[in-house]
Amino acid sequence: MAIRDISPNKVRLAITRLCLFFNAICSKVLDPVKLNELENKAAIILCQLEMYFPPTFFDIMVHLIVHLVREIKCCGPVYLRWMYPVERYMKILKGYTNNLHRPEASIVERYIAEEAIEFCSEYFEKAKPVGLPESHHDERVRGKGSKGLCVITPSVEDLEVAHLYVLNNSNKVLPYILHHEGLLKESNPKMSKNRVLKEHNKTFLNWFKDTIFGDDNTFDTLRKLADGPKKKLSLG
């Protein structure tokens, strides 16, 4: 969903296949019969990445994708032996370091202090725990949680910026974008590229809306894109 209408179809397909590959090998249950198929898919995914990404993208970490399935055959599922969770926690411990000359002492002191605060917080009523997420189900009123509710009302300017961003990154709107930029260049041939871009961002929303709703043969998708978000929008 994050890369839809942003990257070309072939690039999006390669990235999606890479995500599905990691999703498959990180499962807690693996079928040994399908490991050979996964190994072949890894080689195909790397070939697709080499087609659509520059050579500077590839290093030893990208090449290691080929060997991941072989490691599963020899060592078992990856969630039992990968060091990523340990490395994440090591980053937390490194953040405890205040004295670079004595990093171990800083880590131990901060860790003991946090453990002591966690232990003492259990004996204080309504104490906020350290390092633990708050419960969204405490102090419920009529079955609805009272915590975690955050209502945001975007301004008109923010909605217009978001609307323009969606239109500029939509393949269906691309012909209209090129046509509008061409009209701006025809009206003032001496206008620089940056000035054309600024004028495009200022006037494209209204021009696109008038163009779409002025044509009865346009698709419903374009009409919804031209209409844009609701002005009274609340996000929770």
Side-chain angles (χ1 to χ4, degrees):
M1 296 296 295
I3 60 177
R4 181 178 295 179
D5 288 337
I6 296 178
S7 301
N9 294 333
K10 295 181 179 179
V11 178
R12 184 170 68 246
L13 177 62
I15 297 176
T16 304
R17 294 188 67 176
L18 180 63
C19 296
L20 294 176
F21 171 78
F22 275 99
N23 188 26
I25 65 175
C26 293
S27 301
K28 293 185 177 181
V29 179
L30 293 171
D31 188 359
V33 180
K34 297 182 179 180
L35 292 179
N36 292 330
E37 182 181 355
L38 282 176
E39 193 169 9
N40 295 332
K41 286 184 178 180
I44 296 174
I45 292 171
L46 283 179
C47 292
Q48 290 180 336
L49 294 177
E50 290 179 357
M51 294 170 60
Y52 308 129
F53 287 85
T56 54
F57 174 78
F58 298 91
D59 54 11
I60 187 62
M61 295 303 295
V62 180
H63 171 73
L64 287 177
I65 298 175
V66 181
H67 304 286
L68 292 179
V69 179
R70 188 180 305 172
E71 291 180 0
I72 294 175
K73 294 180 182 179
C74 298
C75 305
V78 296
Y79 78 95
L80 296 174
R81 52 187 174 79
W82 270 6
M83 297 299 293
Y84 294 130
V86 179
E87 291 175 356
R88 292 193 189 99
Y89 190 67
M90 288 297 295
K91 182 179 182 299
I92 296 175
L93 295 180
K94 289 180 180 179
Y96 292 166
T97 304
N98 294 326
N99 187 354
L100 298 179
H101 294 283
R102 299 290 186 272
E104 296 88 354
S106 298
I107 293 174
V108 172
E109 183 179 2
R110 178 75 177 273
Y111 186 84
I112 293 176
E114 186 172 322
E115 286 290 321
I117 294 173
E118 288 286 349
F119 179 78
C120 295
S121 64
E122 297 180 0
Y123 295 92
F124 293 96
E125 186 178 1
K126 295 183 180 180
K128 184 178 180 181
V130 178
L132 296 178
E134 295 184 5
S135 176
H136 296 280
H137 303 286
D138 295 340
E139 302 178 2
R140 291 182 295 178
V141 179
R142 296 181 180 180
K144 296 182 179 180
S146 59
K147 294 184 178 181
L149 180 62
C150 181
V151 179
I152 301 173
T153 303
S155 61
V156 178
E157 292 77 11
D158 293 338
L159 291 176
E160 289 181 353
V161 171
H163 188 197
L164 182 63
Y165 179 82
V166 172
L167 295 180
N168 285 333
N169 291 277
S170 178
N171 293 331
K172 295 181 179 180
V173 189
L174 182 59
Y176 294 91
I177 294 175
L178 298 177
H179 181 60
H180 183 252
E181 292 178 350
L183 293 176
L184 293 176
K185 292 179 182 179
E186 291 179 0
S187 61
N188 191 354
K190 297 182 180 180
M191 187 181 298
S192 63
K193 186 176 181 180
N194 293 332
R195 184 62 184 274
V196 171
L197 182 59
K198 291 181 180 179
E199 292 295 328
H200 167 76
N201 293 334
K202 290 181 181 179
T203 61
F204 180 70
L205 290 179
N206 294 329
W207 178 87
F208 181 67
K209 187 173 183 179
D210 295 338
T211 303
I212 293 301
F213 286 98
D215 187 1
D216 297 333
N217 297 324
T218 55
F219 296 101
D220 292 337
T221 304
L222 291 175
R223 290 180 175 273
K224 293 179 180 178
L225 289 173
D227 192 17
K230 296 180 180 179
K231 301 302 180 182
K232 296 180 180 180
L233 180 62
S234 297
L235 302 176

